[in-house]
Amino acid sequence: MEKRILGLDPGLAILGFGAITCTQISHKVQETTVNMLDFGVIRTSADVEMGQRLCTLFDDLHTLMEELQPDLVAIEKLFFYRMSNTIVVAQARGVLILVLGQRRLPYVEFTPAQIKQALTGYGNADKSEVQEAVARELDLDDIPKPDDAADALAVALTAWFQV
């Protein structure tokens, strides 16, 4: 039985995505494999007005859902840096949740600390430790780039560990 999990690292300028497939060979947890399906980013330009940027996210997310056909979507919860940054990320996140609702896709959310804990065993791990864990878990020669895509794969892996 195969399950596709799409991880998303929300952002307005850069929204990272990473998709994995999990295949359960038998009812034993030890007999489950995970493979990377795809990863990348959706970018919007700061030179474009906000409404158009959100429309780009909306359209590109619909295209992404159509191409990847996820069974489950995992989203990184908002982490508060600066209030102005949090508001624009929240707007992008709202578009993301709308797309998932329109497609009736189930989703789960994880805090950055939960993701770090799931991948490294330590909730305060640094970014490089999480990225190395992503490469190790997916048997990759290199850490996926850009960082937003690697972060999205980490979110997808966290969902796999939790499911």
Side-chain angles (χ1 to χ4, degrees), residues 48-57:
V48 177
E49 75 77 31
M50 177 63 78
Q52 191 56 48
R53 292 175 82 180
L54 295 173
C55 285
T56 297
L57 286 179

Side-chain angles (χ1 to χ4, degrees), residues 39-143:
F39 68 90
V41 295
I42 297 172
R43 294 182 189 271
T44 67
S45 173
D47 298 336
V48 177
E49 75 77 31
M50 177 63 78
Q52 191 56 48
R53 292 175 82 180
L54 295 173
C55 285
T56 297
L57 286 179
F58 180 85
D59 292 341
D60 288 358
L61 282 166
H62 270 293
T63 300
L64 190 64
M65 298 304 158
E66 189 65 35
E67 289 174 1
L68 297 175
Q69 297 288 310
D71 298 303
L72 176 67
V73 177
I75 306 167
E76 183 172 357
K77 282 187 181 179
L78 283 179
F79 183 75
F80 298 94
Y81 293 108
R82 300 182 314 270
M83 185 53 85
S84 61
N85 185 46
T86 301
I87 290 170
V88 296
V89 173
Q91 290 172 323
R93 190 177 176 283
V95 169
L96 190 160
I97 299 297
L98 172 63
V99 169
L100 297 179
Q102 288 178 323
R103 293 188 164 265
R104 302 202 189 298
L105 281 168
Y107 67 92
V108 292
E109 298 179 276
F110 301 103
T111 65
Q114 288 173 310
I115 295 164
K116 291 173 182 182
Q117 178 72 37
L119 274 99
T120 68
Y122 178 60
N124 287 323
D126 65 35
K127 193 173 207 63
S128 65
E129 291 174 298
V130 174
Q131 291 174 342
E132 288 168 10
V134 167
R136 184 179 57 252
E137 289 293 334
L138 295 172
D139 198 26
L140 304 174
D141 293 332
D142 299 307
I143 293 170

